[in-house]
Amino acid sequence: SYTRETYLDLKCRIARYYLPWTERNYDRLFHYLQEMRRVCGPTPIVFALIPDEFQVEDDLWDEMIARGGCTGMERDSLQRIIIRWLEQAGLPYVDYLPLLRAVPPLADGKRHCYHRQDGHFNVRGNQVAGEALARTLRPFLKR
């Protein structure tokens, strides 16, 4: 766990690095995703898109914008680009972003799906992700 100040600095650096990317920046990633699919052969593979906390928690994103450097950035651009490519390639995926954003906020207005200033799912976030993954994998299971 980080201090709030350090965590905000880290999240701002991550956003300023990745969010301006265009599809051209993803060529290497897309190459490796195709290679993973090839190596799997007939074994099914499903890709999971795990959002950063700043993509889920509006108050964190607002704080990042207030610090400067994230204004005008599209915080969903990563998923949009990757999902477009996965769909064009016919590769199955589960996108946790809309599911986590649909989690009802608690009394303080936050969804609390991540450990405090840590960036990893907590029990609540893991429950959402696990249930979504189970639904996505169910059709691939042999009966």
Side-chain angles (χ1 to χ4, degrees), residues 43-124:
T43 303
I45 185 170
V46 174
F47 296 94
L49 282 74
I50 303 171
D52 198 292
E53 183 179 9
F54 69 76
Q55 295 178 291
V56 175
E57 292 289 357
D58 295 331
D59 69 313
L60 176 57
W61 180 245
D62 292 344
E63 279 186 77
M64 292 167 62
I65 289 174
R67 292 174 70 87
C70 294
T71 304
M73 292 185 179
E74 181 190 345
R75 68 178 174 165
D76 299 351
S77 63
L78 301 168
Q79 282 80 0
R80 182 179 42 76
I81 291 169
I82 295 170
I83 287 170
R84 183 179 323 132
W85 185 87
L86 288 168
E87 288 177 349
Q88 288 173 352
L91 297 172
Y93 66 90
V94 57
D95 179 13
Y96 297 139
L97 181 57
L99 304 172
L100 290 166
R101 283 186 179 163
V103 169
L106 299 179
D108 64 357
K110 298 178 185 178
R111 292 177 182 88
H112 295 284
C113 293
Y114 294 81
H115 286 289
R116 187 169 184 256
Q117 294 164 188
D118 174 285
H120 294 90
F121 290 149
N122 60 18
V123 171
R124 197 170 197 212

